[in-house]
Structures are given as C-alpha cells and as structure tokens.
Amino acid sequence: MNSFWIILFHTYLNKLKSKSFIITTIITVVIVLALTNINNIIDMFDKNGGKDKVAVLDESGQLYEPFKKQVNTINKDINLTLYQGSEKEAEKAVEKGDFKGVIQLRYNNEKLPEATFKAMSIADSALFTDLQTGLQQLKTMLAASQINLAPAQLQKLYEPVLFEKFALEKNAKTEEELNQARGLVYVLLFIIYFSVIMYATMIAMEVATEKSSRVMEILISSVSPIKQMFAKIIGIGLLSLTQLAAFLIVGYFSLTRNLETLKEGFFGVYGFSDIPIGTIVYAVIFFILGYFLYATLAAFLGSLVSRIEDVQQMITPMTFLVVGGFMIAMFGLGKPDAAFITITSYIPFFTPMIMFLRVGMLTLPAWEAILGIAILIATIVALAVFGARVYRGGVLMYGKSNSFKDIKKALQLTKNE
C-alpha cells in the first residue's frame, strides 16, 4: 500500500509544482478577479463615468424637454445635452469624442416627432434602442393628445396586463427561487464541464508521457498497474480540488466585496444569496462522481497510446460525451422538466451535469437523485474494473496506436500475464 501513496503524492506534488499548473492557476485567478470587478474596471476606463453623452439638435424647439424626460425614464445613464451649434459642429464634437452621438429632432408633416441619429459607429445597439424607444413613447403621447385622449386614458391603454404564475405542485420553486437556482446551476455546470475535460485530459497525458519515456517499464516491475491507475486518478483529483478551492476562495471574497456594483447585470437576475445547502451538497457529489467517471475512462484510454501526440485523438470520443452532456444541460436550463432531459439524466455519462440540473431547478423526489447517484457509482465501479484490465495490458503496449482496436490487444495481454 505504501507504493500507492508514494505514486499518489508524487503525482500530486509533481503537478502542483509544475510551471504550467502555476501559470494556469494565476491566469484563472486574474480572470476571476476581473469578472467580479468588471464594473470597476469599466468605470476606470470610461472617462464619462459610465454615462453616454448625446448631443441633441432640436429643430422644432419643442421636443427636447419631453424627449429627455422619456429617455431618462428608460435609462438614467444616457446624458442628453441640447446642442446650440450647427449640425456640422455637432458632428465634429462627436468625432473629437465629446459626445457618443448626435440626434436631430424634428416634426414630420403630421406634427409627430421623428429623428436622425449619427455616431462614429452604430455598433452600440443598446444606446440606439433606448433613444428609439424614448422617441416612440413621445410620439405615442403626442398622437394621443391629437385625438384628445386624456393622460389617464393613455395610461390605462398601455398599462401592463396582470399575468401571474403559480405552480400547483407541492413545494414547487417560486420564480425567484428558479432564477436563483438557474444562476447557480449555470455557473456550476461550467465548472463541472471545464474541470472534467481539463483534469481527465491531464491524467491521459500523464500516463502517455510516462510510457513515451519508458518510465512505465520500471514502474510496473515494482507496482501493479491497478495501483498506478487509481493513484494517478486520486492524485490529480486532489490537484483539481486544490485549484478549484483557490478559484472559489478568491471568487467568493471578491464577489462579496463587489456585490452591490454587480446587482445590475447577471447577479441582479440570478441572485446567489440564500443558496440551499442541499444544492451545494449535490453540486459537490456530482462533481466528484463526474470526475471519477471520466478520469477512469481517460486513464485507460491514455494507457493505449505510446506517444503524447496520439492522446487527443484517443480521448476525442470522451470529449464529445462531455460536450454533449453540457449542450443538453444548457438546453435544459430553459426547460428542465422536458421528457428528453429526464431520460438523459439517467444516462451515466450525462448524469453528472443533467441530474444536477434537475435537482437544482426542480423539486424532485429524493429517490430520483439517489437513483442517479447509484447509477453513476455502479458505472464508475464497472468502468474501473474494465479500465483496470485494459490499463494492465495497455501500459505494456508500444508502437503506433490503432484507436480502439488496441483495447482488445490490451485485454489479451492482461490474460497472458
């Protein structure tokens, strides 16, 4: 058993001290800090303090004030300024960067407002849409006054219809709880997706690297291949937990310091306060089981190749499985109770992401989540037994890889031992 722990900690410490791991961790931590401080970074580079300055040329002499009122109701960050110069002077001011754009207001033949908007680039569709909406609302008000509609009648006409949603299912999640769950599931799906691909690939590369340097011949003479496989899987599993812990700790503290400034965007819609403990527990369980499932698969696939160059080709089908599960889960975020999502949540290679999606988004009976976990554990055990047999023969195979035909050769070598 000592040899197992030696290989495990050697794999862990060797990867932990490698330059690639350190650089990747630092870069990812910087990205996490940048994402959680995105509003502060934008404000730092924005000389207008996040506001869009727009010059207004009012040819009518009457539209500026009501238009400004409508636009400020829609977006307070749009700063409209009545420009007293000519059209050419306003365009030059835009070219200098004094204004984001210039809008010309005028009446048409029916005494209703129309406008022309000019900017250096029309790529900012959000600004244009807000200005257009403000002008549309102003036009509606003026048209209503022309047909003698009272303000109260106009308000009644455009008052939003009351349309409430209620779930009949007992203990069903509310709209707010669903949004909160959707945000958490969205983030954790990405963590599971990238972690499984990155760390499973790392295991396959580790095995292939040792084979290509003939270190494996020395190892198998003193340690059984099964011990090697599981020592590497658990060693890199510890490495993944170490790296994720660093990301989550940095992200959590940075997020709590900037939560007020982030309420407007993603975090305003998908809140992360009062996250149910059960959801966190399921996230950890499905992450660990998903890792072991794909790590075991990657280990014996890596044992079939003799050159590092062949690793990506060999694990491509495994990568497609992960990508497929992720794409199904992304679809399921909008419709988690679909029959297709329910069925695929019990397919072992999709279960880590899709069953977690259902647990997070729906109020499921406990037996469904337990059944998904049991299927995963059974698949991991079966894959581990089969993978260990392939691994034992695969590490003895050298030469050009012939894809999955080599699995049969590896099993024959195991029987001949």
Side-chain angles (χ1 to χ4, degrees):
M1 198 64 182
N2 288 336
S3 56
F4 172 85
W5 293 108
I6 290 171
I7 295 174
L8 189 156
F9 286 112
H10 175 267
T11 302
Y12 173 73
L13 295 173
N14 197 39
K15 288 291 181 183
L16 186 68
K17 294 184 288 186
S18 65
K19 288 183 180 179
S20 60
F21 177 81
I22 294 170
I23 292 170
T24 302
T25 304
I26 292 172
I27 290 173
T28 309
V29 165
V30 170
I31 292 172
V32 170
L33 288 172
L35 289 174
T36 50
N37 288 274
I38 189 67
N39 287 348
N40 296 331
I41 294 170
I42 291 171
D43 291 342
M44 191 192 314
F45 288 98
D46 193 344
K47 64 180 181 180
N48 295 320
K51 293 185 177 293
D52 292 322
K53 290 182 68 178
V54 177
V56 180
L57 292 172
D58 187 4
E59 297 177 7
S60 68
Q62 300 174 338
L63 293 173
Y64 171 68
E65 287 299 335
F67 177 65
K68 182 178 181 180
K69 184 178 178 181
Q70 293 296 328
V71 171
N72 286 343
T73 303
I74 297 166
N75 189 344
K76 293 180 180 179
D77 288 332
I78 297 177
N79 186 1
L80 296 179
T81 303
L82 185 61
Y83 195 78
Q84 300 297 339
S86 65
E87 181 182 344
K88 291 292 182 184
E89 290 173 337
E91 289 176 4
K92 286 182 180 179
V94 173
E95 291 173 2
K96 288 179 182 178
D98 296 335
F99 297 98
K100 189 75 178 283
V102 56
I103 185 169
Q104 295 171 268
L105 298 176
R106 57 186 173 272
Y107 282 122
N108 60 15
N109 296 332
E110 299 175 341
K111 289 293 287 181
L112 293 175
E114 61 181 24
T116 303
F117 179 68
K118 296 179 182 179
M120 293 301 293
S121 169
I122 56 173
D124 190 350
S125 60
L127 174 61
F128 175 79
T129 301
D130 289 340
L131 293 173
Q132 185 183 38
T133 304
L135 188 66
Q136 181 65 45
Q137 291 180 356
L138 178 59
K139 180 183 177 182
T140 301
M141 287 179 59
L142 294 177
S145 66
Q146 288 181 6
I147 59 175
N148 298 319
L149 276 181
Q153 291 174 313
L154 182 64
Q155 184 178 358
K156 199 74 175 175
L157 184 64
Y158 287 100
E159 188 178 74
V161 64
L162 180 62
F163 193 73
E164 296 180 307
K165 291 190 289 184
F166 293 98
L168 295 177
E169 185 182 1
K170 189 178 179 180
N171 299 322
K173 287 182 168 66
T174 64
E175 187 71 20
E176 184 180 350
E177 289 172 333
L178 277 173
N179 282 336
Q180 187 180 79
R182 188 175 285 112
L184 178 66
V185 169
Y186 187 81
V187 171
L188 291 178
L189 280 176
F190 270 99
I191 292 175
I192 292 172
Y193 171 69
F194 286 111
S195 299
V196 165
I197 285 183
M198 183 167 64
Y199 298 118
T201 303
M202 194 182 292
I203 290 172
M205 294 289 288
E206 178 79 5
V207 175
T209 301
E210 289 181 352
K211 280 188 68 177
S212 64
S213 63
R214 301 283 175 165
V215 173
M216 193 63 73
E217 294 177 357
I218 301 171
L219 285 174
I220 60 175
S221 62
S222 55
V223 185
S224 70
I226 298 174
K227 283 186 180 180
Q228 290 177 44
M229 185 177 81
F230 287 104
K232 289 181 186 302
I233 290 172
I234 296 173
I236 293 180
L238 290 175
L239 184 76
S240 69
L241 292 176
T242 303
Q243 196 171 48
L244 286 173
F247 300 158
L248 292 174
I249 290 169
V250 171
Y252 175 77
F253 283 107
S254 181
L255 186 61
T256 51
R257 288 171 62 92
N258 297 282
L259 198 57
E260 286 299 319
T261 62
L262 292 169
K263 282 185 177 179
E264 293 284 326
F266 179 84
F267 295 94
V269 179
Y270 305 114
F272 286 93
S273 59
D274 302 323
I275 297 171
I277 297 297
T279 306
I280 301 293
V281 171
Y282 279 124
V284 173
I285 290 172
F286 283 113
F287 170 76
I288 292 173
L289 292 178
Y291 166 77
F292 275 106
L293 179 73
Y294 283 100
T296 307
L297 184 61
F300 84 76
L301 289 177
S303 70
L304 296 174
V305 300
S306 303
R307 301 181 306 166
I308 299 173
E309 295 85 355
D310 296 329
V311 172
Q312 287 300 330
Q313 179 185 348
M314 184 62 73
I315 65 172
T316 295
M318 182 193 76
T319 306
F320 284 152
L321 285 173
V322 181
V323 173
F326 180 75
M327 296 304 292
I328 295 170
M330 286 294 103
F331 166 78
L333 281 171
K335 204 170 182 181
D337 55 352
F340 174 66
I341 297 298
T342 303
I343 293 168
T344 52
S345 69
Y346 293 106
I347 299 174
F349 292 103
F350 300 150
T351 300
M353 285 181 275
I354 301 175
M355 183 59 80
F356 171 65
L357 163 75
R358 294 183 64 222
V359 169
M361 294 287 295
L362 303 172
T363 305
L364 293 184
W367 69 265
E368 289 197 36
I370 293 170
L371 179 59
I373 292 170
I375 290 172
L376 260 181
I377 293 172
T379 305
I380 291 169
V381 171
L383 197 58
V385 172
F386 178 73
R389 293 178 61 195
V390 174
Y391 189 95
R392 287 179 68 183
V395 293
L396 299 171
M397 292 168 51
Y398 290 92
K400 189 176 179 181
S401 172
N402 292 316
S403 185
F404 293 98
K405 293 179 181 178
D406 290 335
I407 294 177
K408 186 177 179 181
K409 293 180 183 177
L411 290 172
Q412 287 175 343
L413 281 173
T414 304
K415 289 178 181 178
N416 294 333
E417 283 185 358

